[in-house]
Amino acid sequence: MDLIALELFFVGLLSLASLAIAFVSGVVVWNLYRGQR
């Protein structure tokens, strides 16, 4: 049971990190697009 909990913890951490990366890249792209207009 501990192994499954550890795996779920790391999967959640990985999804949280990818969400943060997607959010930051979206903000950067939005600022670049807004700066060109």
Side-chain angles (χ1 to χ4, degrees), residues 1-3 5 9-13 15 17 20 27 29-30 32 35 37:
M1 192 57 193
D2 283 346
L3 198 63
F9 172 71
F10 276 114
V11 166
L13 207 64
S15 59
V27 166
V29 167
W30 174 257
L32 279 175
R37 295 183 67 187

Side-chain angles (χ1 to χ4, degrees), residues 9-26:
F9 172 71
F10 276 114
V11 166
L13 207 64
L14 188 68
S15 59
L16 200 70
S18 53
L19 259 173
I21 289 172
F23 178 73
V24 167
S25 59

